[in-house]
Amino acid sequence: MCGIVGYIGTNEAYPVLIKGLHRLEYRGYDSAGVAIVGPDAGLNVFKAKGRVADLEAFCKSKNISGTIGIAHTRWATHGEPSNINAHPHYSQSETLALIHNGIIENYAVLKKELALNGYTFQSSTDTEVLVQLIEYIKVSNKVDICTAVQLALEQVVGAYAIAVIEKGNPDLIIAARKSSPLVVGIGDDAFFLASDATPIIEYTNQVVYLEDEEIAIIRRNKPLKVVSIGNVEKTHEIIRLEMNLSQLEKGGYPHFMLKEIFEQPRTLRDCMRGRINVELTNVVLSGIIDNKEKFLNARRILILACGTSWHAGLIGEYLLEEFCRIPVEVEYSSEFRYRNPIIYPDDIVIAISQSGETADTLAAIELAKEAGAFVYGICNVVGSSIPRNTHSGSYTHVGPEIGVASTKAFTAQALVLTLMALCIGREKKTISEERFLKLLSEINNIPDKIELILQSNDSIKTLSNIFTYAHNFIYLGRGYSYPVAMEGALKLKEISYIHAEGYPAAEMKHGPIALIDNEMPVVVIATNNGAYDKMISNIQEIKARNGRVVAIANKDDTMVKAIADYVIEIPETEECLDPLLSTIPLQLLSYHIAVNKQRDVDMPRNLAKSVTVE
Ligand code: G6P
């Protein structure tokens, strides 16, 4: 949450900073700001409530020249979204400006002490406390800015990625991180700083990912220097990024979300490339093979995740139990870390995260590692914190996902879990060779089948018109379709703000059925699998109460078509692969309803894509 950008080089900083903020807007978008040291060495801060576009409008008449600057797009934690609470924050004497992503947990104590020393505060943020503390230390200890940052951070409890610039010093940015991500880009005659690599990639593909409690000293025309908070110089590895710019553009689609939904045939092919051999006889996930004994001897698998990734985790539970016969528990990372969970040293923990930065999942991983468990990450963002803090893992390889509502990352997470289950199941001999080969061959057909579903986009759009003004939705599924029902409901909530509940279909009778009347749309996943007959009964029960049924059913189905009000057809597949197909029409339905309601599909209110605070 919150996006950070910085630049120092030979060009004007402002255009680089604004473009970078646009790229990071998915991380938060309630206010934004820039700080620039001008040619006269003055320090100017401009900020505005609202989107980055509002900041740009505000800056039109301002003096934004200068070749060094920092910028921030905010997702409020302490203090409402407002001009005053927006970052950068000035220190008391307005000689320092600071941006921050994270939470300073002990800000209240620090604020009290600073107030006793004559400091006053304009905003309600924890961030302003940090910049005041740095100034206080700098002045009272008569030290340079870097030392002041180090001494201040020694007093800080919490998570931070920060950048500071100073009046009268057009040649230096100090940046530091703990628990929140920060990447330094190294150009020919410039340095870039950002929360992830997306603002950097169009200028350079050489980056350094800062580690926890590292400070980057970024100086004009001098090599990057990285030190610890205790001022020990650290070596840093320069990584070459593989990302390309077109992945960050909408490519002719009106929204990133629609682009990302349509990318799924390709992203799933990318995800399986190199993992399934061309003869369709073997699955190799190097992270599993390299740690084969651990997986073969696992007492239990714990899957930890948040949001959409947690729904993928539920699919993983069904897959791993079915094909590997290992007991699996799926938990929200936030719940796991704050209870007193039992973790055995021979447990395997699978942490799933698109961003690789979710604070609760990172903290849950630490807990599992402390207890001696082996931790395997399934992440999308290459080089992010979770892959760097797990023992092994598999990337989903879907490229940057920019729409805040996750789509292509979810299907790829489900696919990786499927491949994992097959890979482990075969090693354990808990899956027959015949079934293994049949599933592999069908996995290979999935991208083509998704292409077919995407051809229904126009009819799903037409269907969406009927439900634009619904106030509530219920989504029902059984078995592998139950997590899909929950994911379908979450998608609708996230981007259309319509209340929706995903439920296991049989549980309908234990509560949700009371909600059903002729105004209640019920989306039912009724594909031809083991629970088909039961789903038909559920549809009958809904119809008997005048509910309006939108069914996801297979092409040749006749029974569902005879009783449901509306049917979206999808091709048939193996039951365990059904989520990879049935999810697609639900993504499209949510998308079109949200567009009809004129919602900001890619940046829904109050949400952020990367939840780096607890
Ligand atoms: C936020 C995003 C969701 C995402 C969840 C978990 O809520 O808006 O799309 O599923 O975080 O994020 P992760 O990056 O860990 O998958």
Side-chain angles (χ1 to χ4, degrees):
M1 283 162 158
C2 300
I4 280 183
V5 194
Y7 173 79
I8 180 167
T10 47
N11 293 325
E12 282 296 300
Y14 178 80
V16 180
L17 297 173
I18 290 293
K19 207 166 186 185
L21 287 185
H22 278 297
R23 295 244 190 267
L24 292 182
E25 217 168 1
Y26 74 85
R27 300 178 68 88
Y29 31 82
D30 60 43
S31 51
V34 291
I36 293 174
V37 178
D40 60 353
L43 175 61
N44 297 312
V45 171
F46 304 112
K47 36 196 203 173
K49 182 179 169 191
R51 299 283 164 93
V52 176
D54 297 305
L55 174 68
E56 282 181 273
F58 177 71
C59 287
K60 275 221 161 79
S61 55
K62 304 284 186 283
N63 175 10
I64 37 92
S65 72
T67 57
I68 168 173
I70 54 176
H72 186 270
T73 178
R74 179 170 187 247
W75 187 91
T77 57
H78 294 57
E80 56 168 13
S82 67
N83 293 343
I84 285 183
N85 288 333
H87 302 206
H89 288 282
Y90 270 132
S91 60
Q92 182 118 318
S93 65
E94 299 195 353
T95 54
L96 302 179
L98 179 141
I99 51 176
H100 169 220
N101 164 209
I103 290 182
I104 309 297
E105 286 171 15
N106 59 338
Y107 80 100
V109 180
L110 298 171
K111 191 170 183 175
K112 223 171 169 178
E113 282 170 19
L114 287 163
L116 292 175
N117 286 292
Y119 278 79
T120 55
F121 297 85
Q122 313 295 319
S123 77
S124 339
T125 66
D126 50 338
T127 304
E128 193 186 6
V129 174
L130 181 56
V131 71
Q132 303 280 43
L133 178 64
I134 295 170
E135 176 174 300
Y136 171 66
I137 291 173
K138 184 172 181 286
V139 173
S140 54
N141 293 18
K142 296 193 178 54
V143 291
D144 65 15
I145 175 76
C146 181
T147 311
V149 169
Q150 286 170 322
L151 294 174
L153 292 180
E154 273 176 0
Q155 296 187 36
V156 160
V157 178
Y160 54 80
I162 58 163
V164 197
I165 54 173
E166 192 181 17
K167 184 177 180 175
N169 192 348
D171 299 326
L172 179 69
I173 302 176
I174 300 290
R177 71 152 273 182
K178 183 183 177 193
S179 302
S180 298
L182 212 46
V183 189
V184 182
I186 303 175
D188 287 339
D189 45 17
F191 288 105
F192 306 83
L193 183 71
S195 299
D196 71 29
T198 56
I200 298 176
I201 190 68
E202 60 194 284
Y203 309 104
T204 175
N205 60 4
Q206 312 276 311
V207 297
V208 172
Y209 289 94
L210 289 188
E211 298 292 341
D212 267 355
E213 303 199 343
E214 281 186 349
I215 297 180
I217 303 170
I218 306 169
R219 299 161 294 179
R220 194 184 293 278
N221 301 329
K222 288 196 178 147
L224 173 68
K225 188 172 170 190
V226 179
V227 295
S228 68
I229 288 182
N231 205 28
V232 176
E233 186 151 359
K234 307 286 287 282
T235 52
H236 52 270
E237 190 190 354
I238 299 178
I239 310 254
R240 204 186 145 83
L241 291 174
E242 299 295 338
M243 203 184 288
N244 68 56
L245 209 51
S246 68
Q247 293 174 313
L248 306 176
E249 312 285 350
K250 285 189 197 145
Y253 287 91
H255 296 98
F256 281 109
M257 182 177 177
L258 190 63
K259 177 189 175 216
E260 287 157 6
I261 292 172
F262 271 80
E263 277 177 336
Q264 287 173 107
R266 181 184 59 73
T267 53
L268 293 187
R269 282 188 195 107
D270 287 347
C271 181
M272 58 180 95
R273 183 167 302 122
R275 291 170 169 167
I276 302 179
N277 63 346
V278 279
E279 297 80 19
L280 302 177
T281 54
N282 202 11
V283 179
V284 176
L285 284 165
S286 54
I288 304 275
I289 301 301
D290 294 349
N291 300 285
K292 198 167 101 181
E293 292 309 313
K294 290 215 158 36
F295 282 93
L296 293 184
N297 299 318
R299 174 197 286 239
R300 182 180 62 157
I301 293 178
L302 287 167
I303 299 182
L304 305 176
C306 304
T308 289
S309 299
W310 183 79
H311 294 153
L314 289 178
I315 298 171
E317 175 183 14
Y318 292 13
L319 288 159
L320 290 159
E321 291 204 343
E322 179 171 0
F323 298 122
C324 313
R325 309 311 295 158
I326 304 174
V328 180
E329 286 171 34
V330 188
E331 277 214 53
Y332 288 115
S333 311
S334 54
E335 287 299 315
F336 179 80
R337 61 178 290 203
Y338 285 119
R339 56 188 192 80
N340 190 5
I342 296 170
I343 310 167
Y344 301 108
D346 49 356
D347 276 342
I348 287 188
V349 169
I350 301 177
I352 309 176
S353 173
Q354 186 286 131
S355 62
E357 299 293 349
T358 302
D360 281 320
T361 304
L362 266 165
I365 288 170
E366 286 313 313
L367 194 66
K369 284 196 330 198
E370 277 162 28
F374 177 78
V375 184
Y376 196 90
I378 300 179
C379 296
N380 187 42
V381 178
V382 176
S384 55
S385 299
I386 293 177
R388 288 187 294 123
N389 283 288
T390 40
H391 297 111
S392 184
S394 300
Y395 281 115
T396 45
H397 292 309
V398 301
E401 188 182 65
I402 293 166
V404 163
S406 185
T407 52
K408 63 178 180 175
F410 173 71
T411 45
Q413 289 164 345
L415 178 59
V416 168
L417 287 158
T418 310
L419 300 181
M420 281 180 77
L422 293 184
C423 187
I424 302 166
R426 192 187 218 188
E427 293 291 339
K428 279 194 82 178
K429 304 197 177 15
T430 43
I431 180 171
S432 72
E433 195 61 11
E434 189 193 349
R435 183 117 177 82
F436 176 87
L437 293 174
K438 190 160 181 232
L439 285 173
L440 267 200
S441 139
E442 182 53 14
I443 288 172
N444 193 48
N445 296 331
I446 292 291
D448 291 346
K449 291 189 175 179
I450 295 179
E451 305 266 13
L452 286 175
I453 299 171
L454 292 171
Q455 288 173 14
S456 317
N457 183 38
D458 286 345
S459 53
I460 295 173
K461 184 174 176 189
T462 308
L463 179 65
S464 74
N465 295 328
I466 301 167
F467 297 108
T468 302
Y469 299 103
H471 294 296
N472 297 286
F473 262 83
I474 295 178
Y475 287 69
L476 299 176
R478 283 174 187 252
Y480 282 98
S481 299
Y482 160 49
V484 177
M486 291 210 287
E487 175 58 12
L490 178 64
K491 273 318 70 129
L492 189 71
K493 273 186 275 213
E494 283 178 310
I495 59 171
S496 72
Y497 320 148
I498 295 174
H499 170 245
E501 285 192 39
Y503 241 79
E507 281 292 302
M508 176 181 77
K509 290 192 208 55
H510 300 285
I513 201 163
L515 301 171
I516 293 174
D517 59 16
N518 60 3
E519 294 200 345
M520 175 66 90
V522 186
V523 178
V524 179
I525 303 158
T527 46
N528 191 11
N529 58 42
Y532 181 75
D533 292 342
K534 306 281 176 208
M535 290 309 299
I536 297 283
S537 305
N538 289 137
I539 296 174
Q540 298 283 17
E541 287 155 8
I542 300 160
K543 288 311 302 168
R545 285 151 187 91
N546 294 323
R548 290 190 297 163
V549 173
V550 180
I552 311 294
N554 289 133
K555 270 212 157 22
D556 299 328
D557 184 284
T558 49
M559 278 167 79
V560 173
K561 280 181 195 155
I563 50 175
D565 298 82
Y566 311 95
V567 176
I568 304 173
E569 290 183 352
I570 63 171
E572 223 168 297
T573 188
E574 292 287 327
E575 184 170 352
C576 66
L577 304 179
D578 220 36
L580 298 171
L581 301 185
S582 54
T583 301
I584 312 293
L586 303 188
Q587 293 171 344
L588 286 169
L589 185 64
S590 307
Y591 170 79
H592 289 299
I593 291 176
V595 170
N596 295 345
K597 293 180 85 78
Q598 297 180 335
R599 302 300 194 212
D600 192 339
V601 172
D602 285 334
M603 286 186 267
R605 71 181 179 204
N606 302 338
L607 298 179
K609 189 150 191 72
S610 188
V611 182
T612 55
V613 295
E614 296 176 20

